[in-house]
Amino acid sequence: MEPRISSTETREFDQSYKPPTKGIIYFVPPSMVPLAELVRLHQPGFVYFLVPALFGALQASVLQLTTPPHLAWALLKLVITTIPVAFVNYSWNDTLDAGLDRKVRRTRHRPLARGAMSMRTAYLVNITLAACCIYVLRYFPIACSAYAAPMALGAFVYPFSKRFTRFPQMVFALVMSTAVLFGSAAVGTSPFIDCEAATESIWPCYTTQIGTNGAPILWLYAANVVWAVFYEIVYSFQDVTDDAQAGIGTITLFMGRQPKVYLWMLVLLQIVLFAATGWYARNGWLYFLFSVVGTSATLVLKLVYVDLEDRQSCIWWFSRGALITGGSIAAGLFGDYALKVAMWWKSAETFL
């Protein structure tokens, strides 16, 4: 399947590089623009790393009825931490992909691909950002380090997966979705880790017991993996022709002439996994209304209207569609948490 390219897009691809004129990057000094582009300062990419962590923190808070101040503090730390995490992921990816980026029209103007930054500088940026990520871990429960380690390893491996496999989207989804487990551990709930014991030890305390609260977190993790694979596939279709010519591994080449058949299966699997999360967590009606029914509606709408042969359609439904679906999931989790806190407060007043 080869995407259609409009005349406007053709002119854009043929034109030489032009610095950004919109967004926060417009205020960056010209000499620092390549660095800002390397970490995607001009794009809200950190949101895609933040959202899974928020999901995990919210679901864990529903399970153990975390106090609002505790949850608010955990969410604030997650927001701040996500920035260097997203920056180093994008920077590392572009550093290793510089040669491949030159072969893809959409990415050939990235700073390293166009020669606006040296590889030495890029590696120094990566080292600095990685150090920042390690430093901010000190402000989280020690149990979080159990998930930070595989996230870092997966992020390191991801660029290589494009060269040796056809499933880099799966690798990316597994890495990014680990933030669900990180977010849940940030508020004190984690499968396979005894969070209470871990607070008294330098190293996380692993356990073979998933626990009552751990099972819903694992279901939510699985649901987020499938969701991330879904929107990454839609995103990848804008480059399917260039990827094939450049020898870049992508699951889109595996899907053949009927990609929406596979995407429909992913949608169905997502619905089942989000419903299973709510069932095992005994979530309330707000979760099922927004996180299951609402999410299902947004996914179906996206799959019906996205044109995988149109680059602009892929871009729009990847960015806006992912945020709409993510907003629906978050609304259900937060609504369920708020309702349970309100019910607890009402019962406490009655008892007093």
Side-chain angles (χ1 to χ4, degrees):
M1 179 179 291
E2 183 172 350
R4 295 189 300 271
I5 307 175
S6 66
S7 58
T8 302
E9 287 181 293
T10 302
R11 289 193 298 271
E12 290 176 352
F13 285 133
D14 291 339
Q15 290 175 348
S16 59
Y17 167 78
K18 291 184 178 180
T21 58
K22 297 180 180 179
I24 189 173
I25 201 171
Y26 175 73
F27 301 99
V28 175
S31 61
M32 299 296 291
V33 167
L35 174 60
E37 291 177 314
L38 183 68
V39 299
R40 303 287 202 281
L41 188 63
H42 57 303
Q43 298 174 353
F46 76 96
V47 173
Y48 298 102
F49 291 86
L50 172 63
V51 166
L54 298 185
F55 290 170
L58 287 171
Q59 181 60 83
S61 297
V62 170
L63 291 167
Q64 63 186 33
L65 203 58
T66 304
T67 61
H70 184 194
L71 175 59
W73 176 235
L75 294 181
L76 177 61
K77 290 190 295 182
L78 288 172
V79 171
I80 296 173
T81 303
T82 301
I83 296 175
V85 169
F87 282 0
V88 74
N89 272 271
Y90 288 127
S91 176
W92 178 246
N93 179 73
D94 284 10
T95 299
L96 293 193
D97 281 357
L100 295 177
D101 285 344
R102 296 187 186 99
K103 302 176 182 180
V104 179
R105 284 169 289 183
R106 181 179 60 84
T107 60
R108 67 180 184 177
H109 291 315
R110 286 177 176 174
L112 289 170
R114 70 176 189 267
M117 177 184 291
S118 69
M119 294 298 292
R120 179 181 180 181
T121 301
Y123 280 115
L124 288 174
V125 170
N126 282 293
I127 293 172
T128 302
L129 290 172
C132 291
C133 293
I134 295 173
Y135 178 79
V136 297
L137 272 177
R138 64 182 296 185
Y139 297 103
F140 288 91
I142 297 177
C144 290
S145 62
Y147 301 117
M151 284 178 67
L153 177 62
F156 178 84
V157 171
Y158 169 65
F160 298 102
S161 67
K162 304 173 188 178
R163 295 162 172 79
F164 305 112
T165 77
R166 286 190 175 184
F167 307 100
Q169 291 86 355
M170 177 63 75
V171 176
F172 179 81
L174 290 170
V175 172
M176 190 186 65
S177 298
T178 307
V180 171
L181 306 177
F182 187 98
S184 68
V187 294
T189 294
S190 177
F192 303 121
I193 297 176
D194 187 342
C195 290
E196 293 184 2
T199 60
E200 302 173 359
S201 173
I202 296 177
W203 301 106
C205 297
Y206 294 92
T207 174
T208 57
Q209 302 297 321
I210 296 177
T212 303
N213 288 346
I217 300 299
L218 289 179
W219 282 108
L220 182 60
Y221 169 79
N224 200 89
V225 169
V226 178
W227 176 48
V229 170
F230 175 83
Y231 68 67
E232 276 294 302
I233 289 176
V234 172
Y235 181 76
S236 298
F237 263 99
Q238 61 181 311
D239 299 324
V240 63
T241 303
D242 291 345
D243 287 347
Q245 294 175 351
I248 299 174
T250 173
I251 199 173
T252 54
L253 301 176
F254 173 80
M255 299 172 75
R257 296 181 177 274
Q258 299 294 330
K260 282 198 173 183
V261 173
Y262 294 94
L263 291 175
W264 277 115
M265 290 191 289
L266 288 176
V267 167
L268 179 60
L269 182 57
Q270 288 174 79
I271 295 171
V272 171
L273 290 172
F274 279 118
T277 300
W279 176 267
Y280 278 93
R282 297 184 178 180
N283 288 344
W285 64 272
L286 282 174
Y287 172 85
F288 285 94
L289 176 62
F290 288 98
S291 299
V292 179
V293 177
T295 297
S296 303
T298 64
L299 291 171
V300 170
L301 188 68
K302 177 176 183 176
L303 193 48
V304 168
Y305 284 100
V306 66
D307 184 353
L308 298 176
E309 298 183 19
D310 185 344
R311 293 178 187 273
Q312 290 302 318
S313 179
C314 291
I315 295 173
W316 196 94
W317 283 105
F318 163 75
S319 57
R320 273 63 168 191
L323 292 178
I324 293 171
T325 302
S328 182
I329 300 169
L333 288 168
F334 182 78
D336 192 38
Y337 169 75
L339 183 61
K340 288 187 176 181
V341 168
M343 292 175 62
W344 175 86
W345 184 259
K346 184 176 181 181
S347 63
E349 286 185 332
T350 301
F351 178 78
L352 293 174

